[in-house]
Amino acid sequence: MQLYLPIADLPVNVFLVLAMGAAVGFVSGMFGIGGGFLMTPLLIFIGITPAVAVASVASHIAASSFSGALSYWRRRAIDPALASVLLCGGVTGTALGVWTFTQLRALGQLDLMIALSYVVLLTTVGSLMFSEGLRALMRTRSGAVPPRRTHNWIHGLPLKMRFKRSKIYLSVIPVAIVGIVIGFIGAIMGIGGGFILVPIMIYLLRVPTSTVIGTSMVLTLVTMLFATMLHAVTNHLVDAVLALILMVGGVTGAQFGARAGQKIRGEQLRLLLGLLILSVGVRFAIELVIRPEDLFTIRELGVTG
């Protein structure tokens, strides 16, 4: 069944978009990520301009994150204090990201910047996560003792705060900075940033995995809601029809994903997530090199050249 999208200015198959939303929602719930790194490229691949895809996907990410965060909140797997500090930086970074998004669009460089950012970010992060997950899985199977985590220079910074739920004593400075970076990237690329936030919190901030995913979803939920509102008011690029279809599928898929994620071991989750991120990055790079005219167009809504 075809449905016309008013802002995207093209007809789409409702069931296809609904299935995409459900699939990405499932991934979001399983890995504790927003899923935008997967949803935005998928929309671009079916013909939606990058600017509209980024702005509209933010609402889908927020819906999927709300569904998943609610599930983790019921299990007391969210650190409220840690989430609050992350949000202080996340809201600031989101506002800065939307402003940058608007400036790049005015200069006619937004589509190219989004495409290049996806290729670089996804291939880099995906490769690192896949290799680390593979090493962890091999250590587990061989019975080797994992290397003992030691504190790094980050844990020597001032303005420390005790995060009781996560049982860590950490400076709020790196936490707020991480929030700013995640919010900025999310606003420009249409991603929740969970696939970056989760490994940073685990390996740099030493946050236990028991609270990482749920806390990550809270940050994603608030920053993506804020990004949706800013994109709608400043750029008028949020396609409400597209966003609604994606949200319906995303909320449904996230509930099943959260349950599935509880049944998979941590190193297996990291390996699968790294492989997924790397695959999307490679696919995006292939499309950019082979068929750049299909990946993004010079014309954007409201801007003619």
Side-chain angles (χ1 to χ4, degrees):
M1 184 176 73
Q2 296 291 316
L3 181 66
Y4 179 76
L5 302 178
I7 303 299
D9 192 25
L10 83 165
V12 295
N13 187 302
V14 176
F15 298 110
L16 173 62
V17 177
L18 191 63
M20 288 166 55
V24 175
F26 182 86
V27 173
S28 174
M30 175 179 286
F31 296 112
I33 56 180
F37 75 93
L38 184 59
M39 190 76 259
T40 301
L42 286 176
L43 291 177
I44 294 174
F45 292 153
I46 66 174
I48 296 175
T49 59
V52 175
V54 168
S56 301
V57 162
S59 59
H60 166 263
I61 298 173
S64 299
S65 298
F66 172 77
S67 180
L70 186 61
S71 176
Y72 284 98
W73 177 267
R74 290 170 179 167
R75 301 200 308 272
R76 297 179 61 82
I78 294 176
D79 190 321
L82 183 60
S84 299
V85 178
L86 284 169
L87 286 174
C88 290
V91 171
T92 302
T94 301
L96 181 60
V98 172
W99 179 83
T100 306
F101 181 99
T102 304
Q103 299 304 310
L104 288 172
R105 182 167 178 252
L107 295 173
Q109 300 298 317
L110 180 61
D111 287 358
L112 179 60
M113 182 59 65
I114 291 174
L116 292 177
S117 297
Y118 265 99
V119 172
V120 174
L121 184 63
L122 296 186
T123 53
T124 301
V125 175
S127 299
L128 292 175
M129 290 191 67
F130 178 77
S131 60
E132 191 282 330
L134 186 60
R135 288 196 299 270
L137 188 62
M138 292 177 64
R139 283 197 303 267
T140 301
R141 291 186 174 181
S142 63
V145 178
R148 185 173 180 270
R149 294 181 180 178
T150 58
H151 289 302
N152 50 43
W153 62 271
I154 292 178
H155 293 79
L157 295 175
L159 299 178
K160 290 188 175 182
M161 177 177 175
R162 193 173 299 280
F163 300 100
K164 296 182 179 179
R165 185 67 61 82
S166 298
K167 299 179 181 180
I168 57 174
Y169 188 53
L170 181 68
S171 170
V172 299
I173 296 176
V175 178
I177 291 177
V178 168
I180 292 174
V181 173
I182 297 301
F184 181 82
I185 294 175
I188 292 181
M189 298 179 62
I191 58 177
F195 69 95
I196 305 174
L197 178 61
V198 170
I200 287 178
M201 292 176 68
I202 292 176
Y203 299 112
L204 292 182
L205 304 184
R206 304 302 189 217
V207 180
T209 55
S210 59
T211 59
V212 161
I213 294 180
T215 304
S216 168
M217 282 192 163
V218 172
L219 176 65
T220 300
L221 169 61
V222 177
T223 55
M224 289 297 98
L225 276 177
F226 190 44
T228 299
M229 292 187 293
L230 290 180
H231 278 306
V233 173
T234 60
N235 298 308
H236 309 290
L237 289 172
V238 178
D239 194 306
V241 178
L242 174 62
L244 180 60
I245 299 173
L246 292 176
M247 281 191 288
V248 171
V251 170
T252 304
Q255 288 295 322
F256 291 100
R259 295 173 186 174
Q262 300 171 33
K263 302 177 181 179
I264 304 178
R265 300 177 60 175
E267 61 271 11
Q268 294 175 330
L269 276 175
R270 295 197 299 272
L271 180 64
L272 290 173
L273 180 57
L275 181 60
L276 180 61
I277 295 173
L278 180 59
S279 299
V280 176
V282 171
R283 171 64 189 278
F284 218 107
I286 293 174
E287 291 287 334
L288 183 61
V289 172
I290 298 179
R291 295 186 300 174
E293 70 282 356
D294 294 336
L295 186 60
F296 58 89
T297 59
I298 298 176
R299 180 183 65 83
E300 288 186 307
L301 295 175
V303 180
T304 57

